[in-house]
Amino acid sequence: TLQRPPTRRNRHEMRRSLATMRRVRAVATSLMLNAMLSRAAIPADQPGNVNDGSCVVDAEASVPESSSPLALARGLDAPLAADAEGAEFEHAPFWEENGLLLRAAWEEWEQEHLARTGFPTSGGGGSHLGEDGDFIDPALSSALEDAFDDPSEETEAALKSLWTDSDHESGRPLPRGVYAARLLTESGVSRIRGLLDAAASSGIPARRPNGMNRRGVIVDPNVDGAVSPKSLVELVEEQLIGRVVRPVGRMLFPDRIGCDDDSEYFGFTIRYDGDDDGGEVRGEEEGRANGKEPRDLELREHRDASIVTLNVNLNLPEEGYSGSEVYFRAYPSDEPTAMANGDGETHGGTVRFSPGMAIIHLGAHRHGSMPISDSGGEDSGGKRYNLVIWLFGRDGDVRISPYAKEDQMNVLERWRGCNHTEVFSFV
């Protein structure tokens, strides 16, 4: 099974008519806003009126609350995610029809939420969030800064030593081609979870994360139905993708990732739920009847539609769970040999997450998630929360063939880009 983002088909359609789509979106946005403003329209002969060319409105009138994008979005009857495989385009017409409205709703919600709570944003592209700088693990943050400042084999070696191929707690080897590191501090996990929990309570409908997971959200401003507050998107794009996933992926897999193979991304959260609250709900009709959504307990074996994948755990230290290890099959380059030996189904090994821990691996590396347990014990049941980031090339292209040694990116290109123009600012 190949796990794909729900918008892959649309990316190819957009490539054929990008300019036309931009014009259509601009017109649609204008029509939507004019329709909302028409609720405040008054006769043109009264003082203080403004004619904007489409309707006459009171220049000092506010848009009625019931007509705001946020209120309209909260009033939508969103469909439940039901299918557990091949559901990339489940309910796609609903999300595409309401995509512009939902983006406007997130913008309105974020402004209201920040004005009311002062919730921290990503800090405008610096190396920290807020003032404490406690987001990425300090040792990892320092090694990353050294590599950006002075790309060399020595600074890369220091950084590689933090991305180990063995389990941090047990010391046992990880599956070949899977690397783990302590990525986020407890404060960093809390920061992301705080943003996600606030968004979840917004009342704005959110699309399922992918075609296999039903619980979780998409974090991407270009996907209809995604959760797209600017503070959350900037955190993912600047702090995690620009600072970690892209350069570290190039460093760990130099034979697989070349110029522009990792230029685009797809981010999403997942939640595995082992708490038995009355049994598994199967299907949208049963879910609506019971007022519940289906739980995700496990994930079938699959490949990701990415050149490289980062998977970071967002559980807090007090949020225990049992089971839910991620298992891997043979490393992609070993698969033909494994199949020839009749060993194609042998595990490459398993990984158990701890709070703030991240793993990075090739998207082509087959893997899945074992069931989360609800069968007793101190940490029985519980939930596992993770943020997953896929990188791939333009329009969703994923390169499969390895690069010859002479065609691989050099150390400077890995950290500055092939034109030496990618510079990450640490402040």
Side-chain angles (χ1 to χ4, degrees):
T1 300
L2 176 66
Q3 185 171 214
R4 301 175 296 174
T7 52
R8 177 57 50 81
R9 180 177 60 187
N10 292 339
R11 289 181 186 274
H12 290 287
E13 293 170 356
M14 287 167 60
R15 178 173 56 183
R16 292 193 297 269
S17 57
L18 183 58
T20 300
M21 186 191 71
R22 284 173 176 165
R23 290 194 296 271
V24 169
R25 284 193 172 184
V27 172
T29 301
S30 176
L31 290 174
M32 182 183 70
L33 293 177
N34 285 333
M36 286 186 276
L37 288 170
S38 67
R39 296 284 299 272
I42 58 178
D45 58 353
Q46 291 188 13
N49 293 351
V50 176
N51 189 332
D52 71 348
S54 58
C55 64
V56 180
V57 301
D58 183 349
E60 298 182 356
S62 61
V63 178
E65 184 178 351
S66 60
S67 297
S68 73
L70 182 56
L72 294 172
R74 285 170 170 166
L76 292 174
D77 185 18
L80 293 178
D83 296 335
E85 187 172 349
E88 294 87 352
F89 303 107
E90 184 182 42
H91 308 306
F94 172 87
W95 299 111
E96 292 167 3
E97 178 181 348
N98 293 290
L100 287 171
L101 172 63
L102 293 171
R103 287 180 178 87
W106 281 117
E107 184 175 350
E108 180 185 346
W109 172 83
E110 185 167 31
Q111 292 301 317
E112 289 186 1
H113 183 71
L114 292 176
R116 185 174 64 254
T117 67
F119 204 89
T121 64
S122 63
S127 64
H128 62 277
L129 296 174
E131 296 181 355
D132 59 6
D134 187 19
F135 181 66
I136 292 178
D137 177 83
L140 184 62
S141 179
S142 178
L144 285 165
E145 183 171 357
D146 290 342
F148 273 109
D149 288 345
D150 178 25
S152 66
E153 293 183 2
E154 291 75 18
T155 54
E156 280 199 336
L159 180 59
K160 284 180 182 178
S161 69
L162 300 176
W163 287 90
T164 66
D165 55 5
S166 61
D167 187 276
H168 287 80
E169 296 181 2
S170 68
R172 59 185 178 83
L174 295 177
R176 183 181 172 218
V178 178
Y179 300 90
R182 183 70 53 199
L183 175 58
L184 300 179
T185 63
E186 183 178 341
S187 175
V189 172
S190 297
R191 196 69 60 89
I192 298 178
R193 283 285 298 277
L195 281 168
L196 290 168
D197 291 347
S201 64
S202 68
I204 302 174
R207 192 174 187 170
R208 66 181 297 157
N210 54 59
M212 298 176 74
N213 293 97
R214 296 167 295 189
R215 306 304 294 271
V217 298
I218 299 170
V219 181
D220 188 329
N222 299 312
V223 177
D224 294 326
V227 173
S228 56
K230 184 178 179 181
S231 51
L232 179 60
V233 170
E234 286 184 350
L235 184 153
V236 169
E237 292 182 347
E238 298 174 7
Q239 295 295 321
L240 296 178
I241 296 175
R243 188 179 177 191
V244 179
V245 191
R246 188 170 286 123
V248 170
R250 294 170 179 176
M251 177 187 71
L252 295 176
F253 303 103
D255 62 327
R256 300 299 182 113
I257 303 176
C259 298
D260 300 323
D261 290 335
D262 55 4
S263 59
E264 297 187 6
Y265 81 93
F266 181 71
F268 58 92
T269 66
I270 52 179
R271 186 179 82 189
Y272 296 102
D273 187 351
D275 291 335
D276 187 358
D277 56 358
E280 171 73 343
V281 175
R282 299 188 181 278
E284 182 177 359
E285 183 175 346
E286 182 181 347
R288 287 195 180 278
N290 296 325
K292 294 190 284 188
E293 292 185 344
R295 291 185 294 156
D296 286 333
L297 300 173
E298 60 185 317
L299 189 64
R300 294 183 59 182
E301 182 180 320
H302 63 280
R303 293 181 175 91
D304 298 335
S306 67
I307 187 70
V308 69
T309 294
L310 179 93
N311 191 341
V312 57
N313 183 251
L314 299 182
N315 280 60
L316 296 170
E318 64 271 19
E319 294 176 327
Y321 64 91
S322 56
S324 201
E325 293 87 358
V326 178
Y327 66 86
F328 287 84
R329 302 298 188 183
Y331 186 69
S333 64
D334 296 339
E335 284 185 347
T337 301
M339 290 296 184
N341 294 336
D343 194 29
E345 296 303 314
T346 298
H347 281 191
T350 61
V351 177
R352 178 172 176 80
F353 284 105
S354 57
M357 169 186 164
I359 59 173
I360 190 166
H361 60 86
L362 294 176
H365 200 160
R366 292 186 299 157
H367 60 285
S369 180
M370 300 172 119
I372 194 166
S373 175
D374 55 9
S375 59
E378 182 179 352
D379 290 335
S380 175
K383 299 177 177 65
R384 175 163 72 84
Y385 303 89
N386 279 60
L387 170 66
V388 180
I389 297 172
W390 294 349
L391 297 188
F392 40 76
R394 190 181 303 275
D395 300 314
D397 290 338
V398 177
R399 181 185 174 92
I400 298 176
S401 301
Y403 285 95
K405 183 69 174 178
E406 61 271 16
D407 295 327
Q408 295 175 17
M409 300 173 74
N410 61 44
V411 64
L412 187 62
E413 291 171 335
R414 289 195 284 271
W415 294 92
R416 300 284 174 81
C418 290
N419 296 319
H420 301 174
T421 57
E422 296 179 15
V423 179
F424 192 93
S425 174
F426 287 82
V427 297

